Amino acid sequence: MSTTRTATPHYHPHNNNNNSINMSLAQLPLRPSSLSTLIRRGFDTTNDVKDSAQVSIANFASELGTSLETANGIYKEVLQCCEMLHSSDVNSKENENTNEQSSSSFSNIDDDDDDDDADN
């Protein structure tokens, strides 16, 4: 008899990884089969997956009701999606900072150059 994972709160005080993004699995670009397996077995967030796999991949496989190989593949897929979104978020923030710096440097250009050209 298989059991479905019970819902867990989204707060995980023992997860000290500051780079960890806790988000809904539905927001990740997971393969539909992976997402379906996770949701069907009661996994809602990335931390749900990480917490289960942190015990062991065998534990994660047991909770998913899959083979070790399948569980390991799904776990890696979730991690890759998290890394992709994290690096995308970091790049977006870096681009915003660069654009803000560029804009402020253009606002410091003196308009006197235009007046010199008009005199010629």
Side-chain angles (χ1 to χ4, degrees):
M1 177 179 177
S2 64
T3 58
T4 302
R5 180 178 168 83
T6 57
T8 57
H10 296 262
Y11 174 69
H12 300 278
H14 59 278
N15 187 347
N16 294 326
N17 183 357
N18 290 334
N19 292 331
S20 178
I21 300 171
N22 186 27
M23 61 188 322
S24 168
L25 293 173
Q27 293 177 309
L28 297 178
L30 295 168
R31 292 176 301 146
S33 60
S34 299
L35 180 60
S36 173
T37 299
L38 289 162
I39 298 296
R40 188 173 58 246
R41 299 301 286 190
F43 291 86
D44 296 318
T45 68
T46 54
N47 278 352
D48 290 342
V49 172
K50 291 174 186 177
D51 288 346
S52 177
Q54 184 176 13
V55 173
S56 72
I57 289 296
N59 178 69
F60 184 52
S62 174
E63 288 191 291
L64 278 181
T66 64
S67 68
L68 286 172
E69 184 179 345
T70 299
N72 192 45
I74 291 174
Y75 179 65
K76 286 181 179 180
E77 185 180 350
V78 169
L79 290 181
Q80 288 171 344
C81 289
C82 287
E83 289 172 11
M84 181 179 70
L85 291 175
H86 178 70
S87 68
S88 168
D89 188 43
V90 168
N91 289 339
S92 293
K93 288 179 182 174
E94 287 175 357
N95 287 340
E96 287 174 13
N97 289 340
T98 301
N99 289 340
E100 287 174 8
Q101 291 171 352
S102 296
S103 295
S104 65
S105 65
F106 283 124
S107 66
N108 293 334
I109 295 176
D110 221 0
D111 288 334
D112 290 340
D113 291 339
D114 293 338
D115 293 338
D116 292 340
D117 289 340
D119 291 338
N120 290 335

